[in-house]
Amino acid sequence: MNLMTIFDALLILSILTLGWMSIFSISLFRCIVFFVCLGLLATIVWGQLGAFDVAIAEAAIGAGITGALLLAAWNRIRPSHTKEVDPGPASAKINPSDTKEHV
């Protein structure tokens, strides 16, 4: 086996694995990170195929800009970790004069 054949086989296996992980990961942040890594590996594949202009576009658009936009969107939609105290009926003190009707 040639060393380049082994490298190409590892690239194929890595791309398939990262594609699977970017779709079926539990954490949304991990999905985004796997997607960016997938774009970087696709850049290497385009370089191996000799399409260097497509490789540069894939690195800039696929991994760079899209990854930054996805991380910005994730930052806006993730739930806040601060808890607001909601006074419910158990924590509210009931004043007997509040329950009477005032005419």
Side-chain angles (χ1 to χ4, degrees), residues 19-99:
W20 178 266
M21 291 169 65
S22 67
I23 293 172
F24 294 109
S25 182
I26 293 174
S27 170
L28 185 60
F29 179 74
R30 286 183 184 180
C31 290
I32 295 170
V33 170
F34 290 144
F35 179 77
V36 170
C37 293
L38 180 67
L40 292 175
L41 276 182
T43 301
I44 295 172
V45 170
W46 284 117
Q48 283 290 103
L49 292 173
F52 300 112
D53 52 346
V54 179
I56 291 171
E58 176 68 35
I61 298 169
I65 295 174
T66 306
L69 287 173
L70 286 172
L71 284 174
W74 171 77
N75 193 24
R76 289 187 66 134
I77 66 169
R78 78 179 158 155
S80 171
H81 293 292
T82 60
K83 287 186 176 181
E84 294 182 16
V85 177
D86 183 26
S91 65
K93 293 183 179 179
I94 299 174
N95 191 356
S97 64
D98 290 341
T99 57

